[in-house]
Amino acid sequence: MTELAPYAVSKNNSRGRQVTEDAPQGRSEFQRDRDRIIHSGAFRRLEYKTQVFVNHEGDLFRTRLTHSIEVAQIARSIARRLHLNEDLAEAISLAHDLGHTPFGHAGQDALNACMKAYGGFEHNLQSLRVVDLLEERYAAFDGLNLCFETREGILKHCSADKAAKLGELGERFLNNRRPSLEAQVANLADEIAYNNHDVDDGLRSGLITLEQLEAVPLVAEQLSEVRHAYPNLPERRVVHETVRRIINTLVSDLIRQSVSNISSQALATLEDVRSAPALIAYSTEINEQQRALKNFLRIHLYRHYRVLRMSAKAQRIISDLFEIFIADSRLLPPQFQSLAEQDRARAVADYIAGMTDRYAIREHRRIFAVEEAV
Ligand code: MG
């Protein structure tokens, strides 16, 4: 690892873990966090959770797992170039989607609607709940006992009323302060990853076409360069060559602009980062262009009738499961029964949020199809 900037997160300025542990041997505290995340059950379940396309629609589409790995790759590249803590950026990236429901955003919206009368459901807060409480792997504590800075990075958004209940971790949402630069990097790496892999997956699925994408300046520019330089290139290679150039354009612009933002602030410490405005950012021009791409994907891919049909099915599955468990918590598997005694709705939400797509489909069948074994 290259030398860290003085305002990067390090073992010297870290606020540490909730439960004190011996220092790790032969690896840093943040490498230990990353390793714990990789060994968690929630991380393995990401393999069978939808990003945009439901897992059984095809083997090559991104899942939450491959998405998270791509986010980590992009975040590490940026963190390294900015002399930030690469291990922390990686740990945050790998953990950022651990609290996601099955069936992507349709699942999150459905569960949030079911939970409306019980405090709602928010995947960011759920990711934190997974690493703080729900993982049951260690003798000495619940959850993974991650460092403050990793948890801070996982909690990307939070409403004021929820933040007030989170103590130290919620403070920045109440006092209008920023998280570490590593957390800011992971946040934007998430966006770079999904905008680009959704272009790739969208094209592979046939739901969007290259011709349509020519209306998006960020894509059109790279696409025309590729076609000009390689006139006879087969379509799949044109797509990949274009997508990799878009990623490169976004990452290079982000690094350039962030270096300039950082130097304009004369940062000396991590606390300076927390009181400064958000410093990891694109230039105005590229920001506009990436927003246009996002907008394109929202209209043409995320609201495509075939995606919406799958979303409608997902919402049915989730609300059916929620209703039956909230009406009779004795139907929950035993490990959720004791949680249900304290807070039935939250236990049901924990159970459903933890499901993979195919587990949710099977569980729905087990409960509602009379001929199915229970
Ligand atoms: Mg994500």
Side-chain angles (χ1 to χ4, degrees), residues 198-199 202-203 205-210 212-213 296-297 300-301:
D198 289 352
V199 166
L203 289 168
S205 69
L207 300 190
I208 56 173
T209 63
L210 272 180
Q212 281 178 305
L213 275 162
F296 173 92
L297 289 169
H300 297 283
L301 182 60

Side-chain angles (χ1 to χ4, degrees), residues 321 325 351 355 359-368:
L321 289 174
F325 291 130
Y351 180 42
M355 293 178 184
Y359 183 95
I361 293 168
R362 259 189 244 139
E363 182 74 337
H364 191 269
R365 223 182 282 141
R366 276 194 291 265
I367 291 188
F368 293 98

Side-chain angles (χ1 to χ4, degrees), residues 177-367:
R177 285 162 61 84
R178 253 51 57 194
S180 69
L181 293 177
E182 288 82 352
Q184 296 180 37
V185 165
N187 188 11
L188 279 153
D190 183 22
E191 219 175 71
I192 295 175
Y194 68 66
N195 282 328
N196 284 285
H197 63 51
D198 289 352
V199 166
D200 187 42
D201 283 352
L203 289 168
R204 174 174 292 107
S205 69
L207 300 190
I208 56 173
T209 63
L210 272 180
E211 288 61 43
Q212 281 178 305
L213 275 162
E214 277 173 34
V216 182
L218 193 58
V219 183
E221 198 182 317
Q222 305 304 326
L223 184 60
S224 92
E225 273 180 30
V226 172
R227 284 199 165 134
H228 189 77
Y230 305 97
N232 298 316
L233 203 60
E235 191 87 340
R236 273 318 303 170
R237 287 218 215 183
V238 170
V239 172
H240 183 70
E241 191 62 40
T242 303
V243 167
R244 82 170 185 90
R245 286 169 188 233
I246 301 172
I247 296 176
N248 215 3
T249 304
L250 293 171
V251 167
S252 309
D253 180 83
L254 189 79
I255 291 169
R256 216 177 304 121
Q257 187 62 45
S258 303
V259 165
S260 141
N261 292 350
I262 289 167
S263 64
S264 73
Q265 293 287 324
L267 300 178
T269 67
L270 177 56
E271 281 315 297
D272 292 344
V273 169
R274 293 195 163 114
S275 46
L279 297 173
I280 304 298
Y282 301 110
S283 65
T284 316
E285 190 202 338
I286 289 290
N287 192 38
E288 264 170 40
Q289 290 197 10
Q290 69 90 26
R291 282 172 67 168
L293 172 58
K294 238 182 182 169
N295 211 24
F296 173 92
L297 289 169
R298 194 172 57 236
I299 296 166
H300 297 283
L301 182 60
Y302 310 144
R303 290 188 198 155
H304 192 285
Y305 84 97
R306 278 173 51 200
V307 173
L308 294 179
R309 280 184 183 195
M310 193 58 228
S311 300
K313 275 197 227 183
Q315 279 162 357
R316 265 268 306 286
I317 293 174
I318 295 220
S319 49
D320 285 352
L321 289 174
F322 187 86
E323 267 171 45
I324 200 152
F325 291 130
I326 201 83
D328 188 351
S329 63
R330 293 172 309 171
L331 303 179
L332 287 168
Q335 67 268 37
F336 289 91
Q337 303 267 351
S338 61
L339 258 175
E341 277 163 31
Q342 301 154 38
D343 185 342
R344 183 185 293 187
R346 195 52 59 190
V348 172
D350 286 341
Y351 180 42
I352 293 175
M355 293 178 184
T356 61
D357 297 352
R358 58 186 193 173
Y359 183 95
I361 293 168
R362 259 189 244 139
E363 182 74 337
H364 191 269
R365 223 182 282 141
R366 276 194 291 265
I367 291 188

Side-chain angles (χ1 to χ4, degrees), residues 51 64 67-68 71 93 96-97 100 105 123 156 190-191 193-194 197:
Q51 184 67 27
R64 289 251 168 237
H67 161 70
S68 300
V71 175
S93 302
H96 84 284
D97 273 349
H100 252 292
H105 279 278
H123 67 86
K156 227 179 338 188
D190 183 22
E191 219 175 71
Y194 68 66
H197 63 51

